[in-house]
Amino acid sequence: MHQMTLAEIAKGLEAKQFSAEELSRALLARIAQLDPQLNSFITVTEDLAIEQAKAADARRAAGENSPLLGAPIAHKDLFCTNGVLTSCGSKILTGFKAPYDATVVEKLKAAGTVTLGKLNMDEFAMGSANESSHYGAVKNPWDTSRVPGGSSGGSAAAVAARLLPAATGTDTGGSIRQPAALTNLTGIKPTYGRVSRWGMIAYASSLDQGGPLARTAEDCALLLGAMAGFDAKDSTSVDQPVDDYLAALAQPLAGLRIGLPKEYFGAGLDARIGEKVMAVVEELKKLGATVKDISLPNMQHAIPAYYVIAPAEASSNLSRFDGVRFGYRCENPVNLEDLYKRSRGEGFGAEVKRRIMVGTYALSAGYYDAYYIKAQQIRRLIKNDFVAAFKDVDVILGPTTPNLAWKLGEKNADPVSAYLEDIYTITANLAGIPGLSMPAGFVDGLPVGVQLLGNYFQEGRLLNVAHQYQQVSDWHKQAPTGF
Ligand SMILES: NC(=O)C[C@H](N)C(=O)O
C-alpha cells in the first residue's frame, strides 16, 4: 500500500479496495518501524490521524468522492496545527501548541486529508541540509550517511522513503525544490502570493511560500489545487482564481519553448548532473519542445542579495520569540533583560543566531543603504532578467542543485559552502516566480533533480511539463533500497 501515489490512493478508496483507516494504520506502522533510521518526524499524530481517517471513511460512505478524501499527508513543522506541537525545529518553541490551524492546514483538512504528523526541518527553515534542527538531523533514505537537503528535509525524507505519499513544505530560497532534488521527488514552489502564508511561522516574509512535495507531478497538482487560493488573512495573498492544475497536466508539449540559461551550466556544477539535465532536455525535444540558449546575467549576485534580505527579515520576524508569551523560557531570570537574553540565547541554535546577527547588522543605521537597499536593487535586476527571458521562452530549465547530496556534517564548518548550494533556486524566490524540481536520474546511486522555472502564475505549465516527462521516464518511480 505504501508504494501508492495520491492519485492511486484516490482510485483505491473510491473502488473500496481499502479504507482510509486501514491505509493510515499501515502507514503509521511503517513510520514506527522505519523512521528511527531517518528522524523525519518530530511528532506523529496517531490519534488525530485515526479520527480523521474514520471521518473520511464516513464521508465516502455517505456518497462524497473528492480525490483527497482520506489521503494521508503530514505537515512541515512550521505550519501551525491546532492543539498539536508546532516547533519550527527550534528549542525556543518547546511545548508550543498552536491555538489555530494555518490556512494551508485548514484547506487540506477541509479537502479530507488525514494528518499523520509534523515533519522535521531546519530550525526556522534556515538551512539546506536539515542539520540545524533542535530535534536532530534528518537522514537521506538514498544513503543514510548523507543529508536529505533542507529546510523541508523531513518532508522529503519521509515521502522518498514511502512513509507517506506526499507532504507540505515551504520554500524561501529552495527549501522545497532542493530537498526534492536530493531525494528523487517532485516539488513545487508556487508564485509568491499563490498559497496563503497565514499560520506559517515566518522566516523571510517576502520570500516564503508553501507548496507540496510528492513523488509525481500529478500528486503535486492535486495538492497544490487544494492549498492555493486567496486568503484575506494574508495581505500578500493574491486575489486571482486558481487554475485547474489537474486539467493542465494533459496538454501536449508540442511548441513548448525551453530556455537554457548559460549561467546554470557554468563553473560549480557537477558535470555529471549537467549531463543528466541535458538528457531530460533531449527527451522534452522528442515531445515537441524547442530549445533556446538564454542568459540571466544577474544570477551571480543572487546569493549575496538573498543572504542580506532573508536574514534582515528574519531578524525582525524572530524578535517575537522573547520567552514571555510562548515557548521556551530560561530558568529563574533575575530581571526582564536577563529573561530576554537567556531565553533567546539558550533557545536559538547557532545558525539562527548567525542570521539574526547578520540581519540586525545589515539593517542598522549606517549600513542600511550599503547592504539592504543594494540587495533590494539587485533583487529588481534579477526579476527584470526573468521578465525579459519569459518574452522568448515558456519555461527555463536547468539543474536544481550544483551537487549531489553531501555527507552529514560535511559542510558544517563552512556555512557559506552550504549557502552556495542554493545558487540555482533562490533567484525564483527573489523574483517571486514559480519553480519546480523533478527527478532526472541518478549519479553514483544518488538522485539528481532538474528545475523548471515559469512566469508568474504558470504553475500549471510547470506541472504539465513535469507530468509529460514523467509519462516517458521512470526515475520518479525508483525507491531507495530498504524502504
Ligand atoms: N529556507 C530555504 O528556502 C533554504 C535556504 N537554504 C535558507 O537557508 O534560507
Side-chain angles (χ1 to χ4, degrees):
M1 246 193 286
H2 58 267
Q3 296 290 359
M4 286 187 296
T5 64
L6 287 176
E8 289 162 352
I9 287 169
K11 282 192 195 126
L13 287 171
E14 190 184 354
K16 300 199 169 30
Q17 285 162 2
F18 49 83
S19 67
E21 187 183 343
E22 279 164 349
L23 176 63
S24 293
R25 287 194 190 277
L27 293 177
L28 287 165
R30 232 179 118 70
I31 293 166
Q33 184 203 344
L34 295 171
D35 199 45
Q37 293 175 52
L38 302 171
N39 196 28
S40 65
F41 276 83
I42 290 177
T43 305
V44 178
T45 50
E46 190 160 348
D47 294 345
L48 174 69
I50 299 303
E51 186 191 310
Q52 289 178 334
K54 283 182 174 164
D57 285 333
R59 278 166 68 179
R60 274 195 187 270
E64 230 183 286
N65 183 29
S66 50
L68 289 174
L69 189 53
I73 59 161
H75 297 292
K76 183 175 183 178
D77 209 15
L78 61 56
F79 287 98
C80 285
T81 39
N82 193 0
V84 175
L85 178 72
T86 298
S87 75
C88 223
S90 183
K91 181 179 174 186
I92 208 150
L93 279 169
T94 301
F96 173 64
K97 288 189 176 164
Y100 62 95
D101 280 328
T103 297
V104 162
V105 173
E106 194 181 279
K107 276 172 160 282
L108 287 170
K109 248 190 198 174
T113 60
V114 172
T115 309
L116 300 183
K118 303 293 293 291
L119 295 158
N120 206 341
M121 53 179 286
D122 276 301
E123 186 178 4
F124 284 99
M126 298 176 187
S128 308
N130 214 128
E131 292 183 288
S132 73
S133 170
H134 172 62
Y135 295 87
V138 177
K139 291 164 194 131
N140 190 327
W142 290 92
D143 175 348
T144 52
S145 71
R146 291 177 189 271
V147 303
S151 62
S152 313
S155 307
V159 177
R162 276 71 179 153
L163 304 185
L164 73 173
T168 57
T170 61
D171 191 311
T172 304
S175 279
I176 289 174
R177 293 161 288 157
Q178 186 255 10
L182 301 192
T183 58
N184 202 41
L185 298 182
T186 306
I188 182 165
K189 178 205 91 75
T191 306
Y192 183 77
R194 182 66 297 181
V195 168
S196 170
R197 292 185 297 108
W198 198 77
M200 242 171 75
I201 295 174
Y203 159 23
S205 307
S206 77
L207 303 160
D208 299 340
Q209 262 297 285
L213 289 104
R215 296 196 289 266
T216 63
E218 184 182 21
D219 281 6
C220 285
L222 255 173
L223 273 183
L224 184 60
M227 294 167 79
F230 175 66
D231 181 8
K233 289 186 274 195
D234 171 2
S235 62
T236 60
S237 163
V238 177
D239 194 358
Q240 181 172 315
V242 178
D243 294 336
D244 185 341
Y245 302 127
L246 280 177
L249 298 177
Q251 194 186 332
L253 297 192
L256 175 77
R257 298 170 304 165
I258 298 175
L260 297 178
K262 67 169 192 274
E263 293 80 5
Y264 275 65
F265 295 89
L269 174 66
D270 181 329
R272 301 167 301 172
I273 292 179
E275 282 167 25
K276 295 285 166 196
V277 170
M278 289 315 291
V280 174
V281 173
E282 287 310 311
E283 282 302 316
L284 293 173
K285 277 192 195 163
K286 286 187 206 157
L287 297 175
T290 57
V291 172
K292 189 177 180 219
D293 291 323
I294 61 164
S295 174
L296 297 168
N298 291 293
M299 191 183 104
Q300 52 169 323
H301 306 302
I303 289 195
Y306 175 89
Y307 280 98
V308 169
I309 294 169
E313 294 184 17
S315 70
S316 166
N317 274 325
L318 271 57
S319 63
R320 76 192 64 179
F321 303 103
D322 54 9
V324 175
R325 285 158 294 189
F326 43 73
Y328 177 78
R329 178 181 298 173
C330 68
E331 282 191 22
N332 306 320
V334 294
N335 55 32
L336 188 62
E337 197 181 323
D338 185 44
L339 168 76
Y340 289 154
K341 268 193 185 161
R342 283 202 290 123
S343 297
R344 287 169 67 82
E346 294 162 18
F348 289 131
E351 184 60 29
V352 175
K353 285 182 192 164
R354 180 177 298 127
R355 297 200 194 186
I356 290 174
M357 287 190 279
V358 167
T360 307
Y361 179 82
L363 289 177
S364 50
Y367 297 106
Y368 186 83
D369 289 351
Y371 297 112
Y372 187 72
I373 295 286
K374 255 218 166 81
Q376 292 290 16
Q377 288 166 339
I378 290 170
R379 183 174 191 171
R380 173 53 64 105
L381 294 176
I382 287 169
K383 177 191 167 169
N384 291 349
D385 281 355
F386 281 119
V387 170
F390 285 124
K391 287 195 175 119
D392 298 326
V393 300
D394 303 310
V395 299
I396 294 173
L397 185 150
T400 309
T401 64
N403 292 300
L404 301 166
W406 58 94
K407 291 268 185 194
L408 286 153
E410 194 181 315
K411 294 188 192 274
N412 283 1
D414 178 9
V416 175
S417 74
Y419 298 171
L420 287 170
E421 292 297 321
D422 299 339
I423 178 79
Y424 304 133
T425 48
I426 56 177
T427 49
N429 303 79
L430 290 168
I433 59 170
L436 175 149
S437 181
M438 65 170 176
F442 297 85
V443 168
D444 290 345
L446 296 170
V448 170
V450 57
Q451 180 176 229
L452 302 168
L453 300 172
N455 210 340
Y456 297 96
F457 298 100
Q458 290 298 306
E459 288 80 5
R461 192 57 162 151
L462 300 182
L463 291 162
N464 164 232
V465 177
H467 179 72
Q468 290 301 318
Y469 179 69
Q470 291 177 349
Q471 303 312 297
V472 297
S473 62
D474 66 357
W475 308 122
H476 61 289
K477 292 185 181 153
Q478 311 296 319
T481 318
F483 297 95

